[in-house]
Amino acid sequence: MTDPATLRRRFLAEAQTLRNERRDFHEWHRGRPHYLLWAIDVDLPAVRGRVAAAQRALDGLLLDGYRRQPHITLALCGFPAHGAAPAADEFDLAWLQARVAALEAARITPFTLALGGLESFSSAPFLHVDGALGALTALRTCLHVDTPHPQGEYVPHVTVGLYADALPTATVAARLDGFAPAATLRCTIERIALMRYAAAEIGGALSTLAEWDLVTHRLHWHDAASSTALFARRAQACASRGAAAGHDPETP
């Protein structure tokens, strides 16, 4: 697991932060309404309080309107496929079922994570996450993660927001250093979640479709119809898959 000192060196190796913008990103989603991911839901009062404190410490640097609940991304899924041949950034029910079968076979049990201080990617500041490297690696293996994080190897983290402008990283680092949390937060993780967000809304809220229980080793859908409705064919086709491909503007 990458230590904070290494993360800081990587951040400072970039001259400026990446500017995020509030727009539709239609070239990426091409009319597909929701993007899905596997994540650990840490939307707890203590974590919300720490995220809010970190946002205050970076006041004036972050894009307005970030509403995403505290979470730790494990793996990206993509857009639910609505045709016989999923595009490269889509997945179908068989793909999802294979990952659920892998989770069932692995029998990964509850574990504890520690949330610490404030660090940053070039695009977004985050709370550093430590501990349970074996459990996180096992979960990501089950979820068949086959692409690296754009910033390098996987770094578990809780995103605080998105930078609103291209800012000198040395100046931002001084603001990061001004945030001194009182103590490490420890979270016992008993579930992981299949979540989604509206693809046309940057920083929009997450909603949970299903949860994998690390105690019972079963997947529980929040809505009994969700598993079939997720891949139901829409009345109107999406924009042509031959359109220019884009990238998820919110990878952190």
Side-chain angles (χ1 to χ4, degrees):
M1 193 169 291
T2 310
D3 63 276
T6 300
L7 292 169
R8 180 60 63 88
R9 284 195 298 271
R10 291 178 183 170
F11 178 64
L12 290 171
E14 301 288 339
Q16 294 182 315
T17 61
L18 294 177
R19 178 179 179 272
N20 292 277
E21 56 183 324
R22 188 163 299 287
R23 65 178 181 87
D24 190 326
F25 292 99
H26 189 275
E27 71 278 9
W28 167 62
H29 65 73
R30 306 198 306 277
R32 295 168 294 184
H34 294 105
Y35 192 88
L36 275 68
L37 66 152
W38 287 102
I40 299 171
D41 185 352
V42 288
D43 188 18
L44 305 167
V47 180
R48 286 197 297 271
R50 181 156 299 185
V51 168
Q55 290 170 338
R56 290 193 296 272
L58 298 175
D59 183 47
L61 307 185
L62 304 179
L63 193 68
D64 291 337
Y66 186 84
R67 298 188 297 112
R68 198 144 296 172
Q69 305 95 310
H71 68 285
I72 302 165
T73 299
L74 288 170
L76 305 178
C77 300
F79 296 95
H82 293 277
D89 59 355
E90 296 179 347
F91 69 101
D92 58 17
L93 185 57
W95 184 95
L96 181 60
Q97 289 173 333
R99 279 131 186 87
V100 172
L103 288 170
E104 186 171 8
R107 314 294 286 182
I108 300 164
T109 56
F111 55 91
T112 299
L113 291 174
L115 277 62
L118 191 56
E119 292 299 335
S120 188
F121 299 124
S122 58
S123 59
F126 61 86
L127 298 179
H128 183 254
V129 175
D130 201 0
L133 178 59
L136 292 175
T137 300
L139 285 169
R140 283 170 51 79
T141 298
C142 292
L143 300 174
H144 293 197
V145 176
D146 53 9
T147 56
H149 190 283
Q151 303 284 344
E153 78 277 15
Y154 174 66
V155 177
H157 63 278
V158 177
T159 302
V160 166
L162 303 170
Y163 289 118
D165 210 339
L167 306 161
T169 54
T171 300
V172 174
R175 297 281 291 272
L176 299 175
D177 289 337
F179 178 75
T184 297
L185 294 178
R186 299 194 178 277
C187 303
T188 299
I189 308 303
E190 297 184 342
R191 300 176 182 84
I192 66 171
L194 180 64
M195 310 181 93
R196 73 179 183 184
Y197 60 83
E201 183 181 354
I202 189 168
L206 293 166
S207 60
T208 298
L209 299 176
E211 291 182 294
W212 177 260
D213 193 314
L214 295 171
V215 176
T216 65
H217 308 293
R218 291 290 183 269
L219 186 70
H220 304 283
W221 289 90
H222 282 205
D223 179 348
S226 292
S227 59
T228 53
L230 192 61
F231 301 98
R233 185 180 296 276
R234 285 176 286 181
Q236 296 184 351
C238 289
S240 170
R241 293 194 180 109
H247 298 284
D248 179 357
E250 300 181 73
T251 300

